[in-house]
Amino acid sequence: MNRLAALILASLVCFQCAQKVAPTGGKKDEIPPKLVASHPVNKATNFKENVITLTFDEYVVIDNLMQKLIITPETDNTYTPLVKNETVILKFKKPFADSTTYTLNFGDGIKDQAERNPAQNLKLVFGTGALIDSGRVYGTVKDIRTNQPVFDALVGLYRLSDTLTPERIKPYYFSKTDSSGRFSIENTQLANYLLIALTDKNKNLLYNPKDESIAFIDTIVQVKSDTNNYQLSLFHSDVTEPKIQRTIPKVNDYTLVFNKGMDSAAVDFHQGPNLHYQLESPTQLKFYNIPAQTDTIRASITVRDSLGYELTFDQKIMFLPQRGKEKQPSPTSIKNTPPTSEAIEPLLNLELALSKPILNFDSTMLTITADSMITVAQQNTSFTWNRDRTLLKLKAATEAKDSVVIRIAKGAFISIENDSIPATTYKYNILKPADFGIIRGTVQNPSGRSFFIELLDKDFKNVISEVNTSPFVFRNIKPGNYRMRLILDDNRNGRWDTGNFKRKQQPEKILVYPSELIIKSNFEYEENYFTIPSR
C-alpha cells in the first residue's frame, strides 16, 4: 500500500512539472489584430443581407466605432455594433440599397483586447448588385497659406446639382486625409461629381463656414476607372451674413457688436448731430456721446466685411441717462509700433495707435532727437492719419548713429472726450547692420502679374516684412528661422483675398517657398525664389 501511494505521489509531481505556465515579463505585444474572415467577403457582389461580421485572429474590442467607421456612399441606414470574442458584428436596421457598391473604412475603431493595438488598413468593400464599382479619385489637401498638409480633412464627391450647398448636403462618397494630407476615394460609380474638401471640425459631414475651411475644384470631376489625381488648397471664408449680435449702451458711448469682423463702416445721421464713431475692433462699432445728447439719434449704417458682404440698416442710438455722480470717460492710451525693445533704422517709420479718435494733434509738441543732441526738423517729418484718427503714421529722416528719442508732451493729442495722454518718451537704439542678415531675390514673372512677398516667422503666424517688387530685398533681418511666400494680387488691392464657394470664386493664389530660411548675422542670401505661372 505504501508503495502504491509513493507511485501516485511521484506521478502527480511529474504531471505538475510538465504543465505549461504563462511566461512572465517578455516583450510587449505590438502585433495588431488580423482579419481572418468576413461576411460578406471583400469585393463580394449581390449582398442582400443587413448583418456584417468580421472575425480576427485574437480577441478584439471596439473603440468609438460609430464615429470612426466611414461608410460610403453616405447612408442613413443606422446600425448596432456588437463584439463576441474575436468577432465584430454590425447589425443594420435595413438592407442596403440595390445595385450599389459600399465601402466600410474602419479607421482605428477595432483594436486587440490586450494592448489596444488597432487593426491596420481595415476596409471592407461589397456590392449589392452584380458588379463592384471601379471609380477612384485621389490626391492631397494642403493649407493654402502655409502649403502644409492637412490631417483628417474630409474630402467628398458630391452629386451634381444647381443648388448644391455643402452647408446642408452631405457628400455622396467621401474619405479622410492621412498625416501627409493624402486621400483616396475608391469604388465609386463612374460618373460626374463636384469635389470638395472641408476641415469638418464637428464631424457632421457638413460645411460650417464660420469655423471651417473649404477647398473645391472649379470644374466637374469626371470619375473614371483609371485614377484621377487632384490637389486641393483649403482656405477659410466666413460667408455668414453680417448681423448685429447686441448693443452696449452707456452714458458716454454706445456700441454695436457684430457677429463677424468688419472691414469698414459708413454712417449717415438723419437730421441730427454727427456723432464721432470708430471701428474700435473688427466686431465693434462705437459711437461717442459728443456733443452730449439726451434724445435718440437716428442713423443709417452700412458695414462691409472682407468678402464684400454688406449690411445696411437704420439704427436708433440712445445713450444711458446720467445718474448720480458724473462718470469720467476712460483715459486715452497710446501704443507704439515697433516697440522700443527693437532696434530701428535711421529712417524712422513709427506707428502710434490711440484708443480714441483724436480731435486735435499739435505736431510741435512732438520732438525727435538723434544721438541725444540733434533735433530733427519738422520739414523732415511727415504725419498720416487713418480715417478714424486713431492711428498716426510718423516718418522722419534722421542721420542717427546710436539712438533716436521721440518725446510727446502732454496735450499733443487731445481726444474727442477732451483728455490727453500723459507725457511720453520712446527711445530706440539704431541697429547695426552687421548684427543682421539680408535676403535678396528675384521673381520670374513672364506675364507681369501683380504680387507681393511676405517674410514670416517660421510658424507662418506673423508677417515680419513685405515687398512688392523684383528684384527684392529684405534688410536687417534678425538671425533666426523664417518662411516666405508670394501672393498673387491680381485685383491690385494690396492684400490677399480669400475665396467664396457660393460665388464659385477661388482665393488668390499663394506660392510658398518650400523650405525654411535660416538667417545668420552679417550674411546675405540671394536666389531666384519664385516663378509666377502665366494666367
Side-chain angles (χ1 to χ4, degrees):
M1 189 73 176
N2 290 338
R3 185 179 179 184
L4 178 61
L7 289 172
I8 293 172
L9 179 62
S11 298
L12 287 173
V13 171
C14 290
F15 175 75
Q16 289 178 345
C17 291
Q19 280 186 308
K20 292 183 179 180
V21 178
T24 58
K27 295 181 66 176
K28 180 180 177 182
D29 177 18
E30 296 182 352
I31 301 175
K34 182 180 179 181
L35 182 69
V36 295
S38 68
H39 179 75
V41 297
N42 194 42
K43 300 293 182 72
T45 57
N46 295 311
F47 182 70
K48 304 298 183 183
E49 302 172 36
N50 64 336
V51 177
I52 293 173
T53 62
L54 300 99
T55 302
F56 297 86
D57 62 349
E58 59 180 314
Y59 282 16
V60 292
V61 295
I62 58 175
D63 178 16
N64 204 19
L65 184 63
M66 297 188 74
Q67 280 70 46
K68 294 180 178 180
L69 172 57
I70 296 175
I71 303 176
T72 57
E74 200 278 326
T75 177
D76 60 357
N77 192 0
T78 58
Y79 63 92
T80 302
L82 301 171
V83 179
K84 291 185 178 180
N85 300 331
E86 303 98 335
T87 302
V88 175
I89 304 169
L90 305 179
K91 293 185 176 180
F92 286 82
K93 187 176 182 180
K94 56 188 178 182
F96 293 90
D98 290 335
S99 301
T100 304
T101 298
Y102 287 92
T103 299
L104 279 63
N105 194 323
F106 291 84
D108 61 353
I110 298 178
K111 302 178 179 180
D112 65 32
Q113 189 180 72
E115 298 292 345
R116 297 300 195 267
N117 298 307
Q120 300 293 311
N121 304 315
L122 184 58
K123 183 170 68 171
L124 180 66
V125 178
F126 63 88
T128 57
L131 298 173
I132 296 293
D133 292 325
S134 59
R136 182 189 178 210
V137 171
Y138 75 100
T140 57
V141 177
K142 296 183 178 181
D143 184 288
I144 191 171
R145 306 201 74 168
T146 65
N147 203 39
Q148 300 299 304
V150 178
F151 170 66
D152 203 35
L154 172 74
V155 186
L157 290 172
Y158 294 74
R159 286 177 162 173
L160 299 183
S161 170
D162 292 336
T163 58
L164 172 62
T165 52
E167 295 99 317
R168 296 194 297 270
I169 297 175
K170 296 179 181 180
Y172 190 64
Y173 296 104
F174 59 93
S175 177
K176 295 292 187 71
T177 57
D178 62 16
S179 59
S180 298
R182 293 188 294 261
F183 70 92
S184 180
I185 307 175
E186 300 176 340
N187 300 112
T188 72
Q189 294 177 357
L190 305 182
N192 295 337
Y193 302 92
L194 293 178
L195 181 61
I196 301 173
L198 310 170
T199 47
D200 195 29
K201 294 180 180 179
N202 56 11
K203 310 297 183 185
N204 66 352
L205 304 183
L206 297 173
Y207 173 42
N208 175 10
K210 188 169 182 63
D211 300 314
E212 297 175 352
S213 298
I214 189 171
F216 62 96
I217 300 298
D218 287 303
T219 56
I220 293 173
V221 171
Q222 297 179 328
V223 177
K224 303 176 183 178
S225 42
D226 55 343
T227 56
N228 297 273
N229 185 6
Y230 293 93
Q231 315 302 314
L232 295 110
S233 296
L234 287 167
F235 60 89
H236 185 247
S237 176
D238 185 359
V239 296
T240 54
E241 298 292 335
K243 63 180 180 180
I244 299 173
Q245 282 190 325
R246 59 193 174 98
T247 61
I248 307 175
K250 295 182 180 180
V251 174
N252 295 322
D253 53 68
Y254 182 96
T255 301
L256 298 173
V257 181
F258 299 96
N259 64 322
K260 60 188 301 189
M262 298 297 158
D263 262 14
S264 63
V267 182
D268 180 20
F269 295 97
H270 300 312
Q271 299 178 349
N274 291 337
L275 301 175
H276 289 279
Y277 65 91
Q278 71 172 116
L279 270 174
E280 187 177 40
S281 73
T283 59
Q284 295 192 6
L285 177 62
K286 176 181 281 190
F287 295 87
Y288 292 89
N289 192 8
I290 299 172
Q293 303 294 314
T294 56
D295 296 332
T296 300
I297 305 297
R298 290 176 171 82
S300 177
I301 302 173
T302 298
V303 291
R304 183 183 178 94
D305 68 14
S306 60
L307 292 177
Y309 287 100
E310 287 188 351
L311 174 65
T312 299
F313 57 97
D314 290 328
Q315 181 69 30
K316 294 180 180 179
I317 302 171
M318 178 174 287
F319 302 97
L320 294 181
Q322 182 68 52
R323 299 185 186 280
K325 185 178 179 181
E326 183 175 350
K327 184 178 179 181
Q328 296 299 313
S330 57
T332 302
S333 61
I334 188 170
K335 181 181 179 181
N336 58 306
T337 303
T340 52
S341 57
E342 293 186 11
I344 62 172
E345 297 183 59
L347 182 60
L348 181 64
N349 196 340
L350 181 69
E351 289 187 355
L352 300 175
L354 296 114
S355 59
K356 303 177 194 173
I358 298 302
L359 189 62
N360 292 308
F361 167 57
D362 187 347
S363 62
T364 63
M365 301 178 73
L366 185 153
T367 59
I368 303 172
T369 305
D371 296 334
S372 304
M373 61 182 69
I374 304 171
T375 301
V376 178
Q378 282 282 318
Q379 59 265 30
N380 294 329
T381 306
S382 66
F383 303 97
T384 306
W385 285 98
N386 67 343
R387 191 208 69 85
D388 294 337
R389 289 182 68 85
T390 55
L391 180 68
L392 177 64
K393 294 184 177 182
L394 183 158
K395 291 185 178 181
T398 79
E399 297 181 359
K401 300 292 189 295
D402 298 315
S403 64
V404 170
V405 176
I406 298 99
R407 293 183 176 86
I408 305 172
K410 182 177 182 180
F413 296 98
I414 304 296
S415 81
I416 58 171
E417 293 186 316
N418 204 35
D419 67 323
S420 174
I421 64 167
T424 304
T425 299
Y426 300 120
K427 182 177 180 179
Y428 291 92
N429 292 323
I430 299 300
L431 58 82
K432 297 176 174 56
D435 295 336
F436 299 85
I438 297 176
I439 301 173
R440 300 181 187 273
T442 55
V443 177
Q444 298 299 314
N445 187 14
S447 298
R449 299 174 69 176
S450 181
F451 67 89
F452 57 92
I453 302 171
E454 292 178 336
L455 182 68
L456 308 101
D457 60 26
K458 63 184 179 66
D459 298 318
F460 290 94
K461 292 182 178 179
N462 300 302
V463 177
I464 308 300
S465 188
E466 181 181 304
V467 295
N468 60 4
T469 59
S470 178
F472 66 88
V473 58
F474 291 108
R475 299 181 184 276
N476 303 316
I477 307 301
K478 291 181 180 179
N481 292 15
Y482 297 86
R483 300 304 299 256
M484 189 163 54
R485 65 188 175 199
L486 181 147
I487 298 175
L488 287 170
D489 186 25
D490 288 327
N491 62 5
R492 300 178 181 271
N493 66 351
R495 69 178 187 186
W496 177 72
D497 291 307
T498 188
N500 188 328
F501 177 80
K502 285 186 176 180
R503 298 172 181 172
K504 300 300 183 287
Q505 175 183 327
Q506 294 285 0
E508 290 183 317
K509 291 186 180 299
I510 299 178
L511 307 179
V512 178
Y513 189 67
S515 58
E516 285 190 5
L517 300 171
I518 304 174
I519 305 304
K520 299 178 181 179
S521 59
N522 198 29
F523 203 85
E524 291 193 18
Y525 305 81
E526 186 166 2
E527 188 175 327
N528 174 22
Y529 287 101
F530 298 101
T531 299
I532 298 178
S534 300
R535 293 178 186 273

